[in-house]
Amino acid sequence: MQKVHVPLEGRQYDVCIGGGLLAQAGAYIAPFLNRPRVAVITEERVAGLHLDALRAGLAANGISMTALSLTPGEATKGWAGLTQSVEWLLEQKVERGDMVVAFGGGVIGDLAGFAAAVLRRGVRFVQIPTTLLAQVDSSVGGKTGINTQQGKNLVGAFHQPSLVLADIDILGTLEPRDFLAGYGEVVKYGCLGDAAFFDWLEVNAPAMAAGDTALRQEAVRRSVEMKAGIVTRDEKEHGERALLNLGHTFGHALEAATGYGARLLHGEGVAIGCALAFEVSARLGLMSQESPSRLRAHLAAMGMKKDLTDIEGALPDADGLIALMGQDKKVQAGQLHFIMARAIGEAFVTNDVDPLVVRQVLQDALARC
Ligand code: GLY
């Protein structure tokens, strides 16, 4: 087991990364409890695969659990899912000093974390992320929230977990496509801040995707280490934390254009978005053309979507995609903030991007479709 510490003043916590952590969940969680019971919010797929193991892991330390299994999928992360979760927690008589457990992927982590943030003005929670995407990104850093009709993640709170347990063995039960979608967020870390990590991924990611757990643990550890550093320096996203959104402005527009569903998973949109952000950076003369080509070659070698051509079905034209990018949370005073890069591993935030270049890059990418 490896630990990454998130040293936020007064809200510090550990992210524990390793195999077999579900079986030891009770030992990890017990020191945080006022009484030996927890309330678990999960979803039906995860519950079917792993809830018995979690129950046994908690029982091994005399901790009882009660669980709410929600419908899997992004649609659960809305007002109705929040109401259901909060009312259930109240029915379970969860007290201010109790612990909620978020047991699932990003949807459950965001929703259960937000329910914990507003319940009795804030109760503590543990994240047990079950997808690669949640292990490397959404379970760490305290962003919680729900989607509304107006857009994704527009209602929420910063509420840091007390502990994160990233059990690498759980990743073995993911569908290959879901694993690779999560890998989009792993690649993002190399692209945004660590060229040596990108080099390492080029060499090791195929074996990692094929199931090598030691490599999976190292990829999760390095990703979490980078995220912990960024969050510690800029918890509320006044500056550096925005780098974590590399590829997301393009990715969110593509997700919106494809209906937030199976046509394009979030991590797939992020991977294509990183390639587009690199392409724009190259056209602006910020980086050599070799960098976007190298990123796309790596994504292709991993069997991932790397370009608009890889998305099935019709897409809006360039102006339509740009309009969807304008719905992004990162719009400030009507201006889009972009994450651009000077090289692999050297991303930066700017609002100084010529919209005509963005339009041209999108037009060229659509022309290849
Ligand atoms: N997922 C981006 C962030 O946590 O800031």
Side-chain angles (χ1 to χ4, degrees), residues 183-219:
Y183 181 71
E185 296 278 2
V186 176
V187 165
K188 177 193 81 176
Y189 287 104
C191 290
L192 76 86
D194 188 347
F197 185 45
F198 187 88
D199 296 345
W200 185 89
L201 290 170
E202 281 183 320
V203 174
N204 293 294
M208 186 187 86
D212 186 312
T213 50
L215 294 175
R216 288 180 174 191
Q217 181 164 329
E218 177 53 18

Side-chain angles (χ1 to χ4, degrees), residues 249-250 276-277 279-286 322 325 335-341 348-361:
T249 303
F250 290 105
L276 288 169
E279 192 64 47
V280 173
S281 301
R283 297 273 181 106
L284 290 170
L286 294 165
I322 288 170
M325 288 163 76
Q335 244 190 340
L336 259 176
H337 283 235
F338 281 93
I339 319 301
M340 295 283 110
F348 64 99
V349 186
T350 178
N351 55 12
D352 184 22
V353 172
D354 183 347
L356 291 178
V357 174
V358 176
R359 193 163 179 267
Q360 193 59 54
V361 165

Side-chain angles (χ1 to χ4, degrees), residues 70-88:
L70 297 165
T71 307
E74 193 75 31
T76 292
K77 201 181 115 177
W79 290 113
L82 180 69
T83 304
Q84 192 183 351
S85 302
V86 170
E87 290 188 347
W88 177 79

Side-chain angles (χ1 to χ4, degrees), residues 163-179:
L163 174 71
V164 182
L165 296 178
D167 187 335
I168 296 300
D169 292 339
I170 292 182
L171 302 179
T173 59
L174 291 178
E175 293 295 329
R177 185 177 174 196
D178 289 325
F179 183 89

Side-chain angles (χ1 to χ4, degrees), residues 137 143 227 237 241 244:
D137 187 34
K143 278 190 181 174
K227 178 144 190 189
E237 200 168 312
R241 186 165 180 165
L244 296 170

